[in-house]
Amino acid sequence: MATLSRRQWLAGLGAAAAGAALPGAAKARPNFVLFLADDLGWADLSCYGSGFYESPVLDRLARDGMRFTDAYAACPVCSPTRAALLTGKYPARVGLTDYLPGLQPKDRKLLSVQDLDNLPLEEFTIAEALKEGGYRTFMAGKWHLGDDRHGPLQQGFEEATGTSGAAPSRPGQGDPRRDGAMIDAALSFLERTRDRPFFAYLPFTLVHTPVNPYPPHVERFQQKLAGMNLPAGRLSKERQGNTRLFQDDPNYASMVYGMDEQIGRVLRKLDELGLAGNTVVLFTSDNGGLCTHAKPEGGPTSNRPLRAGKGWCYEGGIRVPLIVRAPGRVRPGSECRVPVITNDFYPTLLELAGLSLRPQQHMDGVSFAPLLAGKQTLPRQSLYWHYPHYHGSTWAPGAAMR
């Protein structure tokens, strides 16, 4: 017979109480759909200035909501940012500071920090907090925060499908067709979810390498590239790495377009089910685009005018797109230049849900709900990044502050 921890018992009791005592209030609370792209750069969407890639669905989402110009991932690599999103803490406070399983070189000047290999079960995640508040919780896609004993079902998600993502470069990662199966599961969840508000967390494998061309759209971007007059010299040096200076890979462009199409399927389903008017949709990325690498050709994308990319604590590695559509809460077509970071999602969703904040948990996050309502400041002076590891992009251990 399975046993429950005290925390699990209390969480279940809280959810039951919320559903029994506040049925009307629960139905009035907003739903949440959170899309997390994998390695999508700040400049990888047409609504963020790309002249080569195309993202018509996300462009429309930005027109219907708010586009953040200075949003940041909590780390220049994936797993720590995912941990920050779920816990509301900086990765260093969680103790998970590198992608899993990480890089542990033996022949470098500095020793790498020995960090965690799993998101600790002791962390009380945003999924657990929303579940306790009466929300149904669902996750489909790339978890990348540990083994099956430390998966989404152990961290507050009632339903979960996808991959642990312990080896993010395995074949099939970054494939629109694989992510299409993830979206199939999400659509099924939406169709079955009418009785309670919900939180659907949808972390893509796109647009992570290896670059997998999406056949329906490759020719489109090959023709587009042929008509572009790019200057000579497509690479520059960044320490020991090579940085791609232009967005000129039709295969990568097809992946961006394929991801955009999958997001469109979810938005259409929200419309069909009559849920769009009471659903907050958020889209962001786990780190900057991969443009700097030890490989002779560099990475597959370009983050210009930002410097460097994934793996680096320069702007290209940490600044990411963030789009929020919240009908009745956000002025359509608005833009926000106030810096926000992944840690902020936890308190923001709680505030939008009308639930009590948990400052002892999301201690490094600040709710940006006031920005959605038009405010121009947050009660914070600085943001921090701590990445004490080597990375294949040729980054060496370091940190940054804004």
Side-chain angles (χ1 to χ4, degrees):
M1 179 178 178
T3 59
L4 296 176
S5 68
R6 181 174 181 273
R7 183 179 69 167
Q8 291 170 324
W9 181 79
L10 289 172
L13 187 64
L22 297 169
K27 290 181 180 178
R29 291 174 180 168
N31 307 307
F32 299 108
V33 174
L34 173 54
F35 296 104
L36 182 69
D38 195 355
D39 290 3
L40 186 84
W42 178 78
D44 279 357
L45 303 178
S46 40
C47 58
Y48 276 83
S50 176
F52 183 46
Y53 309 146
E54 298 176 14
S55 50
V57 172
L58 287 167
D59 296 349
R60 185 166 61 252
L61 192 72
R63 291 194 298 270
D64 292 340
M66 177 175 284
R67 185 179 70 94
F68 287 76
T69 63
D70 289 55
Y72 289 93
C75 187
V77 295
C78 48
S79 299
T81 297
R82 295 162 193 266
L85 187 154
L86 292 172
T87 66
K89 296 176 179 176
Y90 278 117
R93 193 185 298 276
V94 176
L96 201 163
T97 52
D98 202 4
Y99 71 91
L100 302 180
L103 186 65
Q104 299 291 337
K106 305 298 183 184
D107 58 348
R108 306 294 178 87
K109 182 178 180 180
L110 301 173
L111 295 175
S112 288
V113 169
Q114 297 295 317
D115 68 327
L116 298 177
D117 292 326
N118 297 285
L119 179 64
L121 298 180
E122 293 74 20
E123 296 290 349
F124 195 81
T125 69
I126 180 59
E128 290 176 287
L130 290 173
K131 180 181 177 182
E132 185 176 290
Y135 275 72
R136 294 194 64 189
T137 54
F138 173 85
M139 178 264 180
K142 181 177 175 180
W143 178 243
H144 208 180
L145 285 170
D147 56 32
D148 292 340
R149 294 170 299 172
H150 298 80
L153 295 177
Q154 288 77 41
Q155 294 286 8
F157 290 96
E158 296 171 312
E159 297 183 46
T161 181
T163 172
S164 64
S169 292
R170 67 181 64 165
Q173 292 284 339
D175 188 335
R177 290 155 293 193
R178 177 171 180 159
D179 281 352
M182 166 190 109
I183 296 300
D184 289 343
L187 299 184
S188 174
F189 169 77
L190 293 177
E191 290 174 346
R192 293 182 281 106
T193 305
R194 303 290 187 94
D195 56 331
R196 286 186 5 224
F198 59 82
F199 169 50
Y201 172 48
L202 305 177
F204 283 91
T205 66
L206 288 160
V207 288
H208 198 291
T209 54
V211 174
N212 289 303
Y214 191 35
H217 304 299
V218 174
E219 184 178 357
R220 168 198 196 95
F221 292 102
Q222 288 174 337
Q223 294 176 353
K224 190 172 184 177
L225 180 63
M228 297 171 65
N229 185 23
L230 296 177
R234 57 186 294 271
L235 295 173
S236 69
K237 293 295 293 185
E238 187 69 70
R239 297 186 189 168
Q240 288 77 43
N242 298 302
T243 298
R244 186 182 291 246
L245 297 178
F246 306 105
Q247 296 178 344
D248 59 0
D249 186 337
N251 293 331
Y252 185 90
S254 75
M255 294 169 68
V256 174
Y257 199 89
M259 180 194 68
D260 190 76
E261 280 189 331
Q262 298 298 339
I263 292 170
R265 295 177 62 203
V266 176
L267 300 185
R268 286 193 298 274
K269 180 60 69 173
L270 291 174
D271 288 335
E272 292 170 10
L273 297 174
L275 297 172
N278 193 40
T279 300
V280 177
V281 178
L282 308 98
F283 172 86
T284 191
S285 180
D286 60 353
N287 48 250
L290 181 62
C291 69
T292 304
H293 204 275
K295 296 178 180 178
E297 68 273 18
T301 190
S302 173
N303 297 315
R304 294 182 74 188
L306 307 183
R307 182 178 178 183
K310 175 183 178 177
W312 293 71
C313 285
Y314 293 139
E315 288 284 300
I318 54 178
R319 199 190 297 196
V320 292
L322 171 59
I323 301 170
V324 180
R325 186 184 77 180
R329 300 171 184 265
V330 172
R331 180 170 58 85
S334 54
E335 180 180 279
C336 183
R337 296 184 175 276
V338 180
V340 296
I341 195 167
T342 316
N343 327 330
D344 298 337
F345 280 71
Y346 196 142
T348 301
L349 296 191
L350 289 184
E351 182 170 347
L352 292 175
L355 298 174
S356 298
L357 298 184
R358 298 174 176 269
Q360 75 284 358
Q361 171 61 46
H362 53 72
M363 58 183 65
D364 297 319
V366 175
S367 172
F368 57 77
L371 301 180
L372 301 177
K375 286 197 66 175
Q376 300 298 313
T377 60
L378 288 179
R380 173 171 58 202
Q381 293 184 327
S382 302
L383 297 175
Y384 305 93
W385 295 267
H386 179 62
Y387 189 41
H389 302 275
Y390 289 96
H391 188 262
S393 62
T394 72
W395 167 263
M401 178 177 70
R402 171 168 173 167

